[in-house]
Amino acid sequence: MGTTCGLTIDPIYRYVRALVICFILLPCIQLSLGAKTRHFKWEVEYKYWSPDCIENIVMAINGQFPGPTIRAKVGDTINVELTNKLSTEGVVIHWHGIHQIGTPWADGTASISQCAINPGETYNYRFKVDKPGTYFYHGHLGMQRSAGLYGSLIVDLAEGEKEPFYYDGELNLLLSDWWHKNTHDQEIGLFTNPFRWVGESQSLLINGRGQYNCSLAAKFSSNTSISQCKLRGTEQCAPKILHVLPNKTYRLRLASATSLASLNLAIGNHKMLVVEADGNYVQPFEVDDLDIYSGESYSVLLTTNQDPSNNYWLSIGVRGRLPQTPQGLTILNYKPNSASKLPISAPPITPVWNDYNHSKAFTNKILALMGTPKPPVNHDRRIILLNTQNKINGYTKWALNNVSLVLPPTPYLGSIKYGFKNAFDQKNPPENFDSINYDVTKPPVNPNSTYGNGVYMLGFNTTVDVILQNANALSANVSEIHPWHLHGHDFWVLGYGDGKFSADKDEKKLNLKNPPLRNSAIIFPYGWTALRFVADNPGVWAFHCHIEPHLHMGMGVVFAEGVDRLSTIPNEGLTCGLTGKMFSGQKN
């Protein structure tokens, strides 16, 4: 054991994280030379827009959809002065993949890290970006991500640093899905008895643009130019063309802000070399196509080594659900060809939606780049979370270990810091399920569940394992894909398996040699996923399915660690619920 800047450091696997914490929190290591504070003034409001050539209403930032791209360097401070111009609802923004070391109140999770920003109010998000990578931001209240509240966040290396790979240029793609029914209607349907499901999205968007009933793929054989789609919805739905030069290597940054869809991406006649996942370098591997789930991000290297006289399709299609949504398309334009010149070959065909072997083969190739810190060999605590679909008083819900999450009015961060015992359920949430008698391959014998908002209190600096266990939904022969995202941390993905997790037979299968570091991970139908992380970031952190309606219906848990180590919490994160009464001089 040793100390760095006054922090106690366990053996080698903790040293990188310790350096990061010292760099951001403490003045004893002066690594911030050249760092900048990047200021943004944003207003969030609804706008009429035509994302897929059909006019609708989107949630825009400064009149833009998607929101403005933030670009910064490691060590920079981001300062976003966010004003809520919505007339009837609050808003928050989560900075997906940013650890928020020392600034947990800036994580942007309503009722967890902060109060919702009320109409007319302004909230300052101020935080440092601690590691390079491909990230994004999005709304984290209700279904505001589904309404279009999202944008890209790119963190470059600090001055003088170099990537472990070479490229000539860079392209950035933010992927999403889009419905014609507004999110308020969708939300009401989720809380109606009988349950009303909105169904699959009408369009898939690439950088906020798609074509409903004006699909480039459908028009392919008739040699229709892109301009026809431009005419139907003005420039708002015209595909964002990817302009490239022949015989160059491009870094293609990919992030998925979808609310529901799991996607597969491919580029006609081109292979891709995967080099980054969720802001972490991976051992490079080549693919013809890749699966990307909600909340995930990747960087791939694309070499433009095909016939330079042609253009090529880039396509995204739905995976894991019977697709009722056309592929999303744009064009890889080899200059000096005209961007309106359609490719001579049809777009790549998305793999069959339920070909999970294809998905698993891709996922299992993702391994940490050589030299990446390895996980602790042992865990201090293991939490097994059974993902189930349930009923509460006749209403359809999602639950973990038979508890469906309902967030309290008082943010956990403030209530834990200042000891408001009646702000949330003080009973410890269950850490396991009846694994002997529960059959994950069949609908639950007893589908009834309960609401809860308890917190998993984690010992600071302890190593925590989470086993995500998938199961059958309420209907027979149905088990869905669930992409899970952890706030405030990266975790090591130790492994995946089919059926029910068994410590006796599955423990030896876990990868402790080169597991990838991620902030999002997938659970396949009827399977399990094993994660490990170190609880070394003081704060209260959401851990949830990144499918927006699933979280909205209770599919999440809350972790808290080291809150007592925080010196103070900004008032703006406290002035609602019980703490709001205290700050207004009222009694609890």
Side-chain angles (χ1 to χ4, degrees):
M1 304 286 282
T3 60
T4 302
C5 299
L7 293 178
T8 299
I9 308 299
D10 280 344
I12 295 174
Y13 57 77
R14 300 191 196 269
Y15 84 97
V16 170
R17 185 71 162 186
L19 289 177
V20 169
I21 291 173
C22 287
F23 168 57
I24 290 178
L25 290 180
L26 304 173
C28 56
I29 297 181
Q30 298 297 325
L31 297 178
S32 57
L33 186 64
K36 297 179 180 179
T37 298
R38 301 179 185 270
H39 295 275
F40 304 88
K41 275 195 172 186
W42 285 0
E43 293 183 346
V44 176
E45 59 187 328
Y46 283 109
K47 289 280 188 182
Y48 284 107
W49 209 269
S50 302
D52 62 356
C53 305
I54 302 296
E55 189 175 70
N56 216 308
I57 296 174
V58 303
M59 195 169 277
I61 298 175
N62 293 351
Q64 292 181 231
F65 169 75
T69 295
I70 289 179
R71 190 131 202 169
K73 292 184 178 181
V74 169
D76 284 353
T77 296
I78 305 296
N79 190 94
V80 177
E81 187 179 315
L82 184 75
T83 299
N84 181 4
K85 303 288 282 189
L86 307 171
S87 58
T88 60
E89 58 188 296
V91 71
V92 296
I93 289 185
H94 168 55
W95 314 94
H96 188 106
I98 304 302
H99 292 153
Q100 300 294 349
I101 298 171
T103 54
W105 48 81
D107 189 47
T109 46
S111 294
I112 298 176
S113 64
Q114 69 170 102
C115 303
I117 307 165
N118 290 323
E121 291 181 347
T122 298
Y123 186 89
N124 260 48
Y125 288 103
R126 186 178 178 89
F127 55 90
K128 284 190 176 181
V129 288
D130 61 317
K131 54 184 290 200
T134 304
Y135 308 105
F136 65 106
Y137 62 84
H138 60 81
H140 213 289
L141 175 64
M143 297 187 66
Q144 293 180 345
R145 174 158 49 97
S146 186
L149 186 54
Y150 47 76
S152 294
L153 198 170
I154 308 298
V155 181
D156 293 310
L157 288 166
E159 288 291 343
E161 299 293 322
K162 291 185 178 180
E163 303 279 8
F165 44 82
Y166 171 83
Y167 54 96
D168 299 296
E170 186 174 303
L171 302 165
N172 183 40
L173 295 185
L174 184 61
L175 313 177
S176 55
D177 39 16
W178 185 250
W179 283 260
H180 292 165
K181 179 177 281 192
N182 71 61
T183 53
H184 297 108
D185 283 351
Q186 294 182 42
E187 190 172 1
I188 291 169
L190 298 178
F191 292 96
T192 296
N193 186 10
F195 182 66
R196 295 188 184 185
W197 175 239
V198 67
E200 306 304 304
S201 63
Q202 276 66 62
S203 305
L204 299 177
L205 307 182
I206 301 174
N207 289 341
R209 301 183 181 204
Q211 298 81 41
Y212 176 73
N213 280 348
C214 189
S215 168
L216 296 178
K219 302 294 185 180
F220 165 74
S221 59
S222 62
N223 199 31
T224 302
S225 74
I226 293 171
S227 62
Q228 283 196 333
C229 286
K230 288 183 180 180
L231 292 173
R232 292 202 50 217
T234 70
E235 293 292 327
Q236 292 175 354
C237 69
K240 279 286 186 74
I241 305 301
L242 307 180
H243 303 288
V244 296
L245 293 171
N247 299 312
K248 299 290 184 181
T249 297
Y250 291 87
R251 180 180 190 168
L252 187 58
R253 294 183 183 268
L254 310 169
S256 176
T258 58
S259 294
L260 175 67
S262 302
L263 301 175
N264 179 270
L265 182 144
I267 304 171
N269 288 33
H270 290 74
K271 292 184 180 294
M272 296 173 285
L273 188 71
V274 182
V275 294
E276 177 215 342
D278 294 349
N280 295 286
Y281 298 127
V282 300
Q283 201 64 31
F285 64 98
E286 192 174 68
V287 294
D288 294 312
D289 61 83
L290 64 84
D291 285 344
I292 180 168
Y293 303 97
S294 178
E296 291 188 329
S297 65
Y298 291 98
S299 283
V300 300
L301 299 184
L302 170 73
T303 301
T304 51
N305 55 8
Q306 298 303 301
D307 185 347
S309 66
N310 293 325
N311 292 333
Y312 300 87
W313 293 111
L314 182 147
S315 71
I316 55 173
V318 173
R319 300 282 282 120
R321 306 180 70 89
L322 183 62
Q324 300 173 29
T325 308
Q327 285 179 290
L329 294 168
T330 191
I331 287 177
L332 187 71
N333 168 222
Y334 271 51
K335 290 181 178 181
N337 298 329
S338 169
S340 62
K341 179 183 179 181
L342 292 185
I344 60 174
S345 301
I349 297 174
T350 304
V352 177
W353 70 274
N354 58 355
D355 182 358
Y356 294 117
N357 287 333
H358 184 93
S359 301
K360 292 174 183 178
F362 169 74
T363 302
N364 287 325
K365 290 179 181 177
I366 304 172
L367 299 170
L369 183 67
M370 191 177 302
T372 300
K374 296 181 180 181
V377 175
N378 299 306
H379 62 274
D380 300 306
R381 183 175 179 181
R382 173 169 284 169
I383 300 170
I384 301 178
L385 298 174
L386 175 69
N387 295 243
T388 54
Q389 193 177 48
N390 297 81
K391 292 281 188 179
I392 300 180
N393 299 325
Y395 293 87
T396 302
K397 299 294 176 183
W398 289 96
L400 285 310
N401 294 348
N402 210 42
V403 177
S404 184
L405 179 65
V406 177
L407 295 173
T410 303
Y412 290 105
L413 188 62
S415 58
I416 293 173
K417 172 65 178 174
Y418 296 109
F420 292 100
K421 300 285 187 186
N422 54 344
F424 61 91
D425 188 354
Q426 296 296 303
K427 182 181 178 182
N428 294 328
E431 306 211 359
N432 207 335
F433 66 101
D434 184 2
S435 59
I436 295 176
N437 297 313
Y438 195 97
D439 188 345
V440 299
T441 66
K442 296 179 181 178
V445 175
N446 179 4
N448 294 315
S449 185
T450 58
Y451 293 119
N453 56 27
V455 176
Y456 291 92
M457 300 291 187
L458 307 179
F460 189 69
N461 241 4
T462 59
T463 299
V464 180
D465 276 10
V466 176
I467 309 296
L468 294 166
Q469 176 68 63
N470 212 341
N472 202 100
L474 287 171
S475 300
N477 303 313
V478 175
S479 184
E480 297 189 23
I481 277 178
H482 298 291
W484 276 75
H485 171 59
L486 177 60
H487 294 226
H489 303 78
D490 285 343
F491 47 66
W492 289 274
V493 184
L494 301 185
Y496 307 87
D498 297 322
K500 192 184 298 182
F501 178 82
S502 166
D504 292 336
K505 65 182 180 68
D506 292 323
E507 193 91 37
K508 59 190 176 188
K509 299 178 185 176
L510 300 182
N511 176 15
L512 299 180
K513 179 182 177 182
N514 57 354
L517 272 168
R518 305 291 302 264
N519 62 55
S520 300
I522 189 72
I523 329 174
F524 291 106
Y526 301 111
W528 55 265
T529 298
L531 313 174
R532 180 168 292 177
F533 69 96
V534 179
D536 56 1
N537 190 7
V540 184
W541 310 107
F543 181 50
H544 60 88
C545 178
H546 211 260
I547 293 176
E548 193 159 50
H550 289 186
L551 170 60
H552 213 40
M553 295 164 66
M555 200 172 194
V557 297
V558 177
F559 295 140
E561 64 207 55
V563 177
D564 59 316
R565 294 171 175 250
L566 299 171
S567 59
T568 187
I569 297 173
N571 291 351
E572 294 87 348
L574 300 170
T575 52
C576 54
L578 293 173
T579 50
K581 292 180 181 179
M582 185 189 95
F583 273 78
S584 63
Q586 300 179 38
K587 294 181 180 180
N588 293 335

